[in-house]
Every structure is written in structure tokens, then in C-alpha cells.
């Protein structure tokens, strides 16, 4: 059973998410001289622990879970695992995190996984081959058996399924009439898939992938099909700003992010948000946006810890 009448919907509402999330205009000379306005869509302020797009993606899944344990997947520094673990503690739902890398088992936990464990998430480490095969039904069933979670509700890696994508549609509707272009950093692309569906005709969504590979277009199309039964909205990707791949933060990017923090008093999360903001400054410098354009940057997260 899903929908607003399941027991977890009121408990989620009791966590007082700040929705719609605030929008702040910033004055930045690099945009001003090109006649472009820059808005920050502060999804990082939705909830202190269920941060940003993780709230939008997890909330409908937690409702659908209907109180069952939640099993999900991630790497050793996954923001999605931390958000799921925090949700479990806040809502009293058991959570299991299947972590990529069996070499991590039995070793001291890194700060991100330690946070998950402190929030009560049961961690289960699997080797990379098992991790890769986790969406095949038999491999998944074996993992669920091994974690003693056969009746659990399964949320895929990165949290992007149809429920999550539909949850992100509100990000788009909150920005209707506010911007011409809405830009977001992409991991799985689930947030972009939902955002684009919520925008009004004439608005465009721009995705900045933080992973190397250029495989995301097909996955975003698939997610929109699963969530809405077809393609929705106008969106495009710019693949030039991954800086070598996931979790790569070269000095140039770090310096850029620290400078942006000073200019605008905004904590800049490095793995996603820094790449998005760098991309926007580069694009505006290239003249990619006509004068008079308003660009909204979605601040999907904040630095950890
Ligand atoms: C998870 C995450 C994303 C990526 O969201 P997708 O829906 O997987 O594309 C972007 N920014 C931050 C801060 C995140 O934690």
C-alpha cells in the first residue's frame, strides 16, 4: 500500500521538512557581466539530516515501505546510505546498507559508514562482482537472504526508482515561473529526471554528470519511462565537468569551491555541488546563456561531516 494514508506519511511530515525549499538570488560578477541572474535553490536546507534531493527521493520510498525494513546499496562514502540510515533512526525503521567492497569488512569504519552504523544501519559488505550483479533477481535474493532481510523494501543504489523520480517532480514545480534554466548535478540522474518533469513548458533542465562515462542519457530516459510512462520536459546534459570521475576533487575544483564559499557564504559540497557550480561559471563565461536568462542552481547537498 502506498499513499498519504500509510503510517509513515504523518511521521515524515512531523519531521518538519522545509518545503518548498528556499530560493536565494546571489550577485556574482561573473554572471552579472553577461546579463545572467543566478538563483540558488537551497534543497540543502530541507532537513538537517535528510538532506536535499535525498529527502525528495527517500520520502516516497519510506512511505511505500510501510514500516518494513529498508535495504539499500552504496559505496563507502555514499550520501544516500547516510540519508537512509538517518531516516531509519528518525522514523524507527530498521535499515540495512549493502556496501561495495568486501575488503572493508572487519576494518575500522570510515566517518561516513561510522555515521550510518551509529544511526542503527546494519552494514553488509559484498565483493565488487556481487555488488555489480545486485539488480539481477537471483543475486539480489541471495544478498537479502544473507542479510536476513527477505521481507524488506529494497531501494536501489543511489535511491533512484520510479517513486524517487516522482518525488523529485516537486523540485521542478517549486521553480515554475522562477528560472529559464534549472541546473543540477547528476549521479544516477534520478533527480534530473523528476525535476524536468515538474518544470513548465519553456523551462529547461541542465544536468551536470559527476561520473565519467556518458551513459546517463539512456538511464534518465528509462527512469522517466518507469516513473511517468514516457519522456517528460526538456533536459540536456553537459558531460565536460566530471573532473576525472566520482569523488575526484582536484585542487582546481577545491580552490574554486572554497572561493565560491567565501563569495556567497554557502557551504559547497565537493562531490556534486562544486562540479555543478564550476560548470555554470564556465558556461556563463562561454556565453552559453543569452542575456536576460535566469539560471537556478539546485544546491542538492552540503559538506559532510
Ligand atoms: C545523491 C546526490 C546527487 C545525485 O542525485 P541523482 O538523483 O543520483 O542524480 C546530487 N547531489 C548531491 C549532494 C547528492 O548527495
Amino acid at each position: 500500500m502506498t499513499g498519504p494514508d500509510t503510517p509513515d506519511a504523518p511521521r515524515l511530515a512531523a519531521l518538519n521538512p522545509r518545503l518548498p525549499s528556499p530560493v536565494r538570488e546571489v550577485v556574482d560578477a561573473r554572471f552579472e557581466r553577461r546579463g545572467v541572474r543566478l538563483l540558488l535553490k537551497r534543497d540543502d536546507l530541507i532537513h538537517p539530516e535528510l538532506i536535499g534531493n535525498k529527502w525528495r527521493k527517500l520520502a516516497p520510498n519510506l512511505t511505500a515501505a510501510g514500516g518494513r525494513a529498508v535495504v539499500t546499496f552504496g559505496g563507502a562514502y555514499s550520501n544516500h546510505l547516510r540519508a537512509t540510515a538517518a531516516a531509519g533512526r528518525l522514523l524507527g525503521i530498521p535499515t540495512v546498507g549493502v556496501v561495495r567492497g568486501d575488503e572493508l569488512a572487519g576494518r575500522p569504519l570510515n566517518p561516513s559508514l561510522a555515521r550510518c552504523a551509529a544511526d542503527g544501519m546494519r552494514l553488509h559488505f559484498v565483493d565488487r562482482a556481487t555488488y555489480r550483479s545486485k539488480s539481477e533477481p537471483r543475486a539480489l535474493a541471495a544478498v537479502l537472504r544473507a542479510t536476513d532481510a527477505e521481507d524488506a523494501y529494497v531501494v536501489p543504489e543511489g535511491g533512484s526508482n520510479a517513486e524517487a523520480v516522482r518525488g523529485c517532480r516537486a523540485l521542478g514545480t517549486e521553480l515554475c515561473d522562477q528560472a529559464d534554466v534549472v541546473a543540477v548535478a547528476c549521479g544516477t540522474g534520478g533527480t534530473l529526471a523528476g525535476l524536468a518533469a515538474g518544470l513548465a513548458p519553456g523551462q529547461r533542465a541542465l544536468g551536470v554528470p559527476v561520473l565519467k562515462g556518458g551513459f546517463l542519457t539512456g538511464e534518465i530516459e528509462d527512469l522517466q519511462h518507469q516513473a511517468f510512462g514516457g519522456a517528460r520536459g526538456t533536459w540536456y546534459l553537459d558531460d565536460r565537468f566530471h573532473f576525472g570521475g566520482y569523488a575526484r576533487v582536484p585542487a582546481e575544483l577545491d580552490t574554486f569551491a572554497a572561493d565560491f564559499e567565501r563569495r556567497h557564504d554557502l557551504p559547497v559540497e565537493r562531490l556534486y555541488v562544486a562540479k555543478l557550480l564550476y560548470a555554470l561559471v564556465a558556461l556563463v563565461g562561454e556565453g552559453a546563456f543569452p542575456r536576460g536568462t535566469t539560471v537556478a542552481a539546485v544546491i542538492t547537498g552540503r559538506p559532510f561531516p
Side-chain angles (χ1 to χ4, degrees):
M1 183 176 68
T2 64
D5 48 347
T6 51
D8 288 311
R11 291 163 64 212
L12 276 162
L15 298 178
N16 287 318
R18 196 163 165 196
L19 289 169
S21 65
V23 176
R24 168 159 73 98
E25 178 163 3
V26 295
V27 178
D28 187 307
R30 297 166 293 190
F31 290 73
E32 232 185 359
R33 78 169 77 95
R34 298 281 183 167
V36 175
R37 284 176 68 218
L38 176 63
L39 307 179
L40 304 180
K41 174 67 169 164
R42 297 293 305 273
D43 265 19
D44 58 315
L45 299 178
I46 291 176
H47 188 273
E49 295 184 84
L50 278 171
I51 299 162
N53 63 347
K54 300 300 182 276
W55 174 283
R56 296 189 189 272
K57 292 166 69 167
L58 271 172
N61 275 297
L62 296 167
T63 302
R68 277 178 293 166
V70 171
V71 175
T72 195
F73 304 83
Y77 288 93
S78 166
N79 290 344
H80 166 65
L81 281 187
R82 277 204 315 281
T84 306
R89 173 173 49 77
L90 292 166
L91 299 172
I93 298 173
T95 59
V96 178
V98 179
V99 185
R100 179 180 53 229
D102 54 348
E103 74 281 2
L104 300 170
R107 289 211 267 155
L109 299 174
N110 72 34
S112 186
L113 292 175
R115 177 83 256 174
C116 292
D119 280 339
M121 176 174 264
R122 205 141 53 73
L123 299 174
H124 180 73
F125 298 92
V126 298
D127 64 71
R128 278 149 215 275
T130 305
Y131 191 86
R132 265 196 305 279
S133 65
K134 65 191 173 306
S135 44
E136 292 163 20
R138 279 182 44 207
L140 176 62
V143 167
L144 294 182
R145 253 193 325 275
T147 56
D148 214 8
E150 281 155 293
D151 303 324
Y153 180 85
V154 177
V155 177
E157 177 178 34
S160 286
N161 55 10
E163 305 278 352
V165 170
R166 286 194 290 265
C168 290
R169 190 167 40 186
L171 172 57
T173 55
E174 288 174 24
L175 286 164
C176 281
D177 304 325
Q178 296 206 54
D180 304 295
V181 178
V182 180
V184 68
C186 299
T188 63
T191 304
L192 177 69
L195 158 67
L199 293 176
Q203 292 183 296
R204 285 181 300 153
L206 161 62
V208 175
V210 306
L211 285 91
K212 199 160 81 177
F215 48 78
L216 216 50
T217 301
E219 297 192 359
I220 294 168
E221 287 167 356
D222 285 350
L223 285 169
Q224 287 203 330
H225 271 271
Q226 289 165 34
F228 309 119
R232 292 289 184 279
T234 306
W235 56 271
Y236 64 110
L237 300 175
D238 193 324
D239 252 316
R240 294 177 294 162
F241 302 101
H242 55 68
F243 283 89
Y246 184 71
R248 299 281 166 85
V249 185
E252 183 192 359
L253 181 64
D254 192 53
T255 304
F256 167 86
D259 173 67
F260 200 96
E261 290 181 326
R262 267 193 306 274
R263 284 174 191 248
H264 300 303
D265 191 26
L266 175 81
V268 175
E269 190 270 348
R270 296 298 199 264
L271 306 194
Y272 293 93
V273 177
K275 292 179 184 181
L276 168 71
L277 295 171
Y278 188 101
L280 289 178
V281 170
L283 284 164
V284 81
E286 290 171 2
F289 306 115
R291 282 192 170 275
T293 301
T294 299
V295 177
V298 184
I299 308 305
T300 41
R302 96 166 88 81
F304 172 78

